[in-house]
Amino acid sequence: MPRPRRSCLAVPGSSQKMIDKARTLPADQVFLDLEDACAPLAKPGARKTIVESLNEGGWGERTRVVRVNDWTTEWTYRDVVEVVEGAGANLDCVMLPKVQTAQQVQALDLLLTQIEKTMGYEVGRIGIEAQIENARGLVEVDAIATASPRVETIIFGPADFMASINMKSLVVGEQPPGYDVGDAYHYILMRILMAARANDVQAIDGPYLQIRDVDGFRRVAGRAAALGYDGKWVLHPGQIEAANEVFSPDQSDYDHAENILDAYEFYTSDAGGKRGAVMLGDEMIDEASRKMALVIAGKGRAAGMTRTDKWTPPAE
Ligand code: GLV
Ligand code: MG
């Protein structure tokens, strides 16, 4: 089962205080950042802080990720070598920002394999999260999603993306002023989602920078969740509960999905008459309904939800 990633908490790798706080917060994933949340002069020190913090433990069930710098900088290889040699046993994934080609993912894959072999770690265990942050990356997204079996997620990086395509807006997640005929992000979000779903990896929405505006966060997160995204970045503790809620089904949908699965299993069985399309209450359900129900039930189970209403087969 894929890891839960409803809320992916960004934490500057240079801040011991924020790293310590992250261990207490209910985010599904924490990523310790060596890239844009870490000033150039702070990066070497942050590598050490990150290694120590991962090895100290206390991360519970949270997925532990480190974002390294992108391959166009001089920092990437040292980020990877220092962090993975130092704490590879306590790290789940490496996030690679500003990915533009499949080769960039393969380069990271090769480097990880070398380190795993040298250090005696299990080869291939550490996953890759690929951030799409410019036009070139989006055009190449299918190849990026299949570049390595390590790829677990494709992430939309809206801030860098908007800058890279010259979008006339400074507010991430909000529509660019002057664009009044729809959602300026729809194509990008859908393109990434298609590449993710076609290749069985997760699709994650990036940050919402107005951290005090939790309603705004909910609105933007709700759009990505409605399309089918698996989760979204959170930059502040106040966004975590909202993300966990928005990317989990609500209780009645979860109960309904589990009931569809039970009813469909019963009616397609010998005991239920081997039927393919049946009525559940006022609704006709068939194999396609089962597939839709599996998605909602899967999200609910991953979120640890329990049923409050259980369908039972009709009495003889
Ligand atoms: C995240 O990295 C972004 O650029 O939005
Ligand atoms: Mg970025």
Side-chain angles (χ1 to χ4, degrees), residues 132 138 141-142 145 153-156 185-205 223-231 247 295 299:
I132 300 298
L138 192 65
V141 66
D142 287 315
T153 68
I154 305 286
I155 305 164
F156 174 40
Y185 301 97
H186 184 73
Y187 168 73
I188 310 166
L189 286 171
M190 270 304 201
R191 185 70 196 83
I192 288 173
L193 184 62
M194 292 307 111
R197 290 291 168 261
N199 298 298
D200 229 359
V201 301
Q202 291 180 323
I204 305 294
D205 192 18
R223 286 186 208 132
L227 291 178
Y229 271 65
D230 299 285
F247 287 95
V295 171
K299 283 184 194 270

Side-chain angles (χ1 to χ4, degrees), residues 35 67 131 133 156-161 207 233:
E35 203 219 18
R67 178 165 73 164
Q131 260 192 295
E133 308 199 73
F156 174 40
D160 275 300
F161 201 101
W233 283 17

Side-chain angles (χ1 to χ4, degrees), residues 81 84-85 110-123:
V81 171
V84 183
E85 281 197 353
L110 287 172
L111 188 51
L112 286 171
T113 302
Q114 292 264 297
I115 299 169
E116 287 165 339
K117 286 183 174 164
T118 304
M119 301 301 294
Y121 302 146
E122 179 187 339
V123 173

Side-chain angles (χ1 to χ4, degrees), residues 72-223:
T72 65
T73 69
E74 67 271 39
W75 297 302
T76 323
Y77 80 103
R78 288 225 166 153
D79 289 346
V80 179
V81 171
E82 262 195 55
V83 168
V84 183
E85 281 197 353
N90 296 311
L91 175 68
D92 299 307
C93 296
V94 172
M95 185 187 297
L96 187 63
K98 302 182 178 69
V99 180
Q100 306 197 52
T101 62
Q103 286 83 349
Q104 292 185 332
V105 173
Q106 285 153 0
L108 177 57
D109 180 321
L110 287 172
L111 188 51
L112 286 171
T113 302
Q114 292 264 297
I115 299 169
E116 287 165 339
K117 286 183 174 164
T118 304
M119 301 301 294
Y121 302 146
E122 179 187 339
V123 173
R125 190 191 61 81
I126 296 173
I128 294 178
E129 304 201 343
Q131 260 192 295
I132 300 298
E133 308 199 73
N134 52 42
R136 175 56 52 204
L138 192 65
V139 167
E140 297 292 330
V141 66
D142 287 315
I144 288 167
T146 50
S148 157
R150 293 182 194 264
V151 176
E152 295 188 16
T153 68
I154 305 286
I155 305 164
F156 174 40
D160 275 300
F161 201 101
M162 288 160 64
S164 91
I165 62 170
N166 295 356
M167 194 182 265
K168 281 164 57 187
S169 171
L170 285 172
V171 187
V172 168
E174 300 302 342
Q175 301 301 316
Y179 191 75
D180 59 359
V181 288
D183 176 5
Y185 301 97
H186 184 73
Y187 168 73
I188 310 166
L189 286 171
M190 270 304 201
R191 185 70 196 83
I192 288 173
L193 184 62
M194 292 307 111
R197 290 291 168 261
N199 298 298
D200 229 359
V201 301
Q202 291 180 323
I204 305 294
D205 192 18
Y208 183 74
L209 303 183
Q210 316 299 111
I211 57 171
R212 291 186 211 295
D213 182 1
V214 178
D215 289 340
F217 175 87
R218 236 174 231 288
R219 210 174 50 243
V220 174
R223 286 186 208 132

Side-chain angles (χ1 to χ4, degrees), residues 48-88:
K48 294 188 174 45
T49 307
I50 286 176
V51 167
E52 280 162 22
S53 305
L54 289 170
N55 289 339
E56 260 164 33
W59 295 100
E61 296 290 296
R62 296 170 194 80
T63 298
R64 301 152 301 175
V65 179
V66 173
R67 178 165 73 164
V68 297
N69 288 278
D70 83 273
W71 279 123
T72 65
T73 69
E74 67 271 39
W75 297 302
T76 323
Y77 80 103
R78 288 225 166 153
D79 289 346
V80 179
V81 171
E82 262 195 55
V83 168
V84 183
E85 281 197 353

Side-chain angles (χ1 to χ4, degrees), residues 28 59 266:
D28 288 342
W59 295 100
F266 171 75

